[in-house]
């Protein structure tokens, strides 16, 4: 089993992914700017699961303690959060769940200067971090019900085949089917679909 830090794990999407992965047997660390809030969310998830498998830490410490780092924050917080976790993410896989949406109209996709949030994360973190973009189009209302069969597909984009293979496996563990959708540049397609959906 893998130790996964979900940065932004106090938010709806991050919490739902954390719940499903913890239910599947992975060790989960909830990351937040507020460590006390992360600990509170971890306690909530442990109560739901009826086991102690989730813990909470500040963002930087969570990234440092994990094998895989998941970034699940609004696009407005993307760069600032990457700055917090850059050192802790080195040598690891970072799964970017970010979907850039227009801050004034969440039904519109936002054009990221680097092409996509996933590509921006890869450029910022450097080649020593294997960035994979995935999980943008999953509804948190479905994620939070661990008994529900999600019946949805995940597009997985990244430049490292082994990293993408691991993410496809994590999707399966969470009850989803996932497909290799090519290099990180293709993440603009999955990210843009969020506004459409």
């Amino acid at each position: 089993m893998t130790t996964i830090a979900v940065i932004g794990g106090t938010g709806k999407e991050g919490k739902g992914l954390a719940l499903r992965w913890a239910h599947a047997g992975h060790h989960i660390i909830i990351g937040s700017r507020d460590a006390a809030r992360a600990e509170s969310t971890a306690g909530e998830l442990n109560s739901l699961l009826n086991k102690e498998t989730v813990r909470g830490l500040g963002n930087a410490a969570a990234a440092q303690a994990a094998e895989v780092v998941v970034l699940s924050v609004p696009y407005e917080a993307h760069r600032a959060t990457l700055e917090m976790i850059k050192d802790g993410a080195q040598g690891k896989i970072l799964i970017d769940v970010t979907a850039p949406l227009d801050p004034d109209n969440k039904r519109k996709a936002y054009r990221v200067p680097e092409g996509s949030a996933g590509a921006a994360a890869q450029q910022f973190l450097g080649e020593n971090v294997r960035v994979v973009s995935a999980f943008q189009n999953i509804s948190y209302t479905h994620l939070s019900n661990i008994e529900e069969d999600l019946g949805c597909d995940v597009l997985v984009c990244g430049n490292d085949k082994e990293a993408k293979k691991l993410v496809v496996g994590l999707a399966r563990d969470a009850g989803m089917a996932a497909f290799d959708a090519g290099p990180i540049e293709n993440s603009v397609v999955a990210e843009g679909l969020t506004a459409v959906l």
Side-chain angles (χ1 to χ4, degrees):
M1 291 291 109
T2 306
T3 301
I4 305 167
V6 182
I7 308 299
T10 58
K12 294 173 180 176
E13 186 88 8
K15 192 190 295 186
L17 287 168
L19 177 65
R20 284 189 168 255
W21 285 325
H23 180 66
H26 295 287
H27 303 288
I28 303 298
I29 305 168
I30 298 294
S32 174
R33 288 172 297 170
D34 180 346
R37 190 167 171 222
E39 289 170 9
S40 174
T41 299
E44 180 187 329
L45 294 179
N46 284 329
S47 292
L48 285 170
L49 294 161
N50 202 26
K51 59 182 177 179
E52 296 291 319
T53 189
V54 184
R55 61 188 172 123
L57 293 170
N59 282 335
Q64 191 71 50
E67 298 169 85
V68 173
V69 180
V70 177
L71 181 61
S72 177
V73 296
Y75 179 68
E76 300 83 64
H78 191 250
R79 176 62 182 240
T81 309
L82 285 171
E83 289 171 357
M84 274 185 247
I85 65 173
K86 183 175 184 178
D87 290 343
Q90 295 304 306
K92 299 174 183 175
I93 294 169
L94 180 129
I95 305 169
D96 198 338
V97 183
T98 308
L101 301 173
D102 187 319
D104 299 319
N105 182 356
K106 299 294 185 188
R107 295 173 138 187
K108 286 174 61 178
Y110 179 77
R111 188 179 297 249
V112 178
E114 298 86 350
S116 68
Q122 185 65 78
Q123 286 179 32
F124 178 76
L125 295 171
E127 292 180 7
N128 198 34
V129 178
R130 295 177 289 163
V131 175
V132 178
S133 176
F135 303 109
Q136 293 89 351
N137 306 313
I138 312 304
S139 168
Y140 71 85
T141 55
H142 299 294
L143 284 172
S144 59
N145 180 359
I146 54 176
E147 302 305 323
E148 182 177 342
D149 179 7
L150 291 174
C152 61
D153 299 334
V154 176
L155 297 177
V156 178
C157 300
N159 297 333
D160 184 284
K161 286 188 177 185
E162 288 306 310
K164 287 188 284 186
K165 188 174 176 182
L166 181 138
V167 175
V168 166
L170 288 176
R172 188 171 47 249
D173 290 347
M176 300 170 241
F179 303 92
D180 185 336
I184 197 68
E185 289 79 10
N186 288 357
S187 62
V188 66
V189 177
E191 290 175 16
L193 277 175
T194 304
V196 175
L197 294 169

